[in-house]
């Protein structure tokens, strides 16, 4: 498929049909519906069919528009961050940590700032995990501290220092006005200021609106996007902290 050029698929192959949704600060009336179609046209959707509209409050309406675009996608020009570490089972992760560290690997997790959405961090850390895959608390060679929601950056730094964290995992779901980016930069700066390079934990952030290629720009070691599993995080931890030193059985 290398170098292939594709078009969106709606009703038939290559018909270019797409569906988009957005909210406009307009009332739900004929004028508002016309504004939604106009926006869709300017986005390159032509013809644009308004298939759903619902008032979301005083002066706001949510729209769904369906229609055709002429844009093509060049797959050879798509750039993504490929996984550069092997996926390990829980047994393999435990074995690598036991041989490589000869102690438990300490992990601290939290939602920082005003973010109260713990579903993501809980899915990775809590033993019940997600979609049948157990979280990091299940791994016997990992020591997990879950600080929960709305943790301040100073509190996170202090907690990581107290348990001598090898890795800090932060989940950010609240993204209004790029809050996830501001919070991440603040966190990475705080750890750089509080601890020397050789003693700083691995800094990992995750959330649905992060671009995985922004890790260096944000001052963290790794970014995980939506759909990440506990096994992926555990595998990355041992790869980054001990896996290069210890051969997996």
């Amino acid at each position: 498929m290398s170098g292939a050029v594709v078009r969106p698929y709606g009703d038939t192959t290559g018909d270019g049909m797409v569906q988009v949704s957005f909210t406009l600060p307009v009332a739900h009336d004929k004028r508002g519906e016309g504004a939604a179609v106009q926006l869709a046209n300017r986005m390159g959707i032509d013809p644009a069919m308004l298939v759903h509209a619902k008032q979301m409050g005083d002066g706001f309406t949510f729209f769904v528009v369906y229609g055709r675009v002429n844009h093509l996608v060049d797959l050879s020009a798509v750039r993504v961050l490929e996984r550069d570490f092997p996926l390990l089972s829980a047994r393999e992760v435990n074995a690598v940590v036991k041989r490589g560290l000869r102690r438990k690997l300490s992990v601290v997790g939290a939602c920082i700032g005003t973010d109260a959405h713990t579903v993501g961090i809980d899915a990775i850390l809590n033993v019940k995990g997600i979609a049948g895959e157990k979280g990091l608390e299940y791994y016997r060679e990992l020591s997990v501290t879950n600080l929960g929601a709305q943790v301040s950056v100073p509190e996170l730094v202090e907690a990581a220092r107290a348990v001598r964290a090898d890795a800090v995992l932060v989940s950010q779901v609240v993204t209004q006005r790029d809050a996830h980016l501001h919070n991440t930069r603040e966190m990475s700066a705080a750890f750089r200021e509080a601890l020397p390079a050789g003693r700083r934990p691995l800094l990992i952030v995750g959330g649905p609106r992060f671009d995985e290629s922004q890790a260096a720009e944000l001052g963290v070691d790794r970014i995980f996007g939506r759909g990440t599993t506990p096994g992926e995080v555990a595998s990355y931890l041992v790869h980054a902290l001990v896996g290069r030193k210890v051969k997996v059985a």
Side-chain angles (χ1 to χ4, degrees), residues 11-145:
D11 300 315
T12 59
T13 301
D15 61 10
M17 301 299 284
V18 299
Q19 179 172 290
V20 297
S21 62
F22 49 83
T23 300
L24 290 178
V26 297
H28 182 198
D29 54 22
K30 290 294 184 182
R31 187 182 182 87
E33 293 184 355
V37 171
Q38 182 188 102
L39 175 62
N41 286 154
R42 292 185 175 180
M43 293 168 65
I45 303 174
D46 187 19
M49 296 172 281
L50 182 64
V51 297
H52 177 75
K54 182 177 178 61
Q55 186 166 323
M56 301 299 291
D58 189 19
F60 291 88
T61 305
F62 174 75
F63 299 98
V64 178
V65 176
Y66 184 67
R68 180 180 294 107
V69 296
N70 293 316
H71 307 303
L72 303 176
V73 177
D74 181 358
L75 295 181
S76 67
V78 175
R79 300 289 180 263
V80 295
L81 183 66
E82 299 285 357
R83 177 168 52 81
D84 56 357
F85 55 91
L87 284 179
L88 306 178
S89 66
R91 181 189 65 80
E92 290 171 327
V93 168
N94 288 327
V96 173
V97 173
K98 189 171 184 179
R99 294 200 309 275
L101 291 185
R102 299 183 184 277
R103 60 171 174 79
K104 290 192 175 184
L105 190 157
S106 177
V107 179
V108 172
C111 296
I112 59 176
T114 60
D115 203 324
H117 301 77
T118 62
V119 174
I121 197 69
D122 287 344
I124 298 299
L125 297 183
N126 288 1
V127 67
K128 65 181 180 181
I130 184 172
E133 184 174 325
K134 294 186 181 298
L136 301 191
E137 289 178 346
Y138 171 75
Y139 294 70
R140 67 174 182 272
E141 297 300 329
L142 270 59
S143 175
V144 176
T145 303

Side-chain angles (χ1 to χ4, degrees), residues 216-230:
E217 176 189 336
L218 297 177
V220 298
D221 297 285
R222 191 81 180 195
I223 294 174
F224 285 106
R226 62 185 180 279
T228 299
T229 65

Side-chain angles (χ1 to χ4, degrees), residues 143-166:
S143 175
V144 176
T145 303
N146 188 347
L147 300 177
Q150 297 181 321
V151 178
S152 72
V153 168
E155 289 172 334
L156 178 62
V157 172
E158 185 55 37
R161 196 202 303 264
V163 300
R164 297 184 179 181
D166 296 294

